[in-house]
Amino acid sequence: MEDNCLFCKIVNNELPTEFVYESENLIVFKDIHPQAPVHLLIVPKRHIRSINDLEAKDEKILAEMIMTGKKMAKEMKVAQSGYKLKFNVERGGGQLVFHLHMHLIGGWVNK
Ligand code: 5GP
Ligand code: ZN
């Protein structure tokens, strides 16, 4: 738990947020400002600042994030039409919340 980290607060239920999915290691919830009909955030429970801070031991959580993205895309019915899995990295890369997360964005077309 990192002080004043928005997503640590969400992980710890200090900021009421409905989880679309939860596992031992990560949570999934809807983005508050969706950029598309489907916009989910896939967030590890452990605080990691950004992609830049990943270490070899984090390979497992990274793989789980991507596999969860695939599963959520199917559940949200955008797997076939297509979607984006996106990491913004640091300020210049558009990152606003400095707790690692992956965006799942899709649903523009429905076939
Ligand atoms: P970033 O730009 O850091 O990659 O993405 C952060 C995302 O978190 C943004 O798309 C923003 O809309 C979302 N976000 C920021 N604050 C909250 C919040 O309190 N609740 C939820 N559900 N999403 C948030
Ligand atoms: Zn955090």
Side-chain angles (χ1 to χ4, degrees), residues 6-7 10 15 17 29-33 35 39 41 88 94-97 101 103:
L6 184 69
F7 287 178
I10 290 179
L15 209 77
T17 301
F29 52 90
K30 288 184 181 166
D31 196 292
I32 204 166
H33 297 304
Q35 294 170 13
H39 189 168
L41 298 172
N88 293 330
Q95 188 174 2
L96 295 172
V97 177
H101 54 279
H103 297 254

Side-chain angles (χ1 to χ4, degrees), residues 1-12 14-15 43-49 97-101:
M1 170 96 194
E2 185 93 345
D3 281 352
N4 289 319
C5 172
L6 184 69
F7 287 178
C8 279
K9 285 185 182 146
I10 290 179
V11 167
N12 287 297
E14 286 171 35
L15 209 77
V43 181
K45 289 183 176 174
R46 187 160 59 81
H47 182 89
I48 300 168
R49 179 185 161 94
V97 177
F98 295 98
H99 177 131
L100 187 68
H101 54 279

Side-chain angles (χ1 to χ4, degrees), residues 31 33-40 78 82-84 104-109:
D31 196 292
H33 297 304
Q35 294 170 13
V38 173
H39 189 168
L40 300 181
V78 298
Y83 54 96
K84 297 180 196 233
L104 162 58
I105 307 168
W108 302 275
V109 286

Side-chain angles (χ1 to χ4, degrees), residues 23-24 27 30 37-38 41 46 49 53 59 64 70-71 79 87-88 100:
S23 77
E24 190 188 339
I27 55 171
K30 288 184 181 166
V38 173
L41 298 172
R46 187 160 59 81
R49 179 185 161 94
D53 297 272
E59 280 176 4
E64 187 183 340
K70 172 191 161 184
K71 184 161 87 172
F87 288 94
N88 293 330
L100 187 68

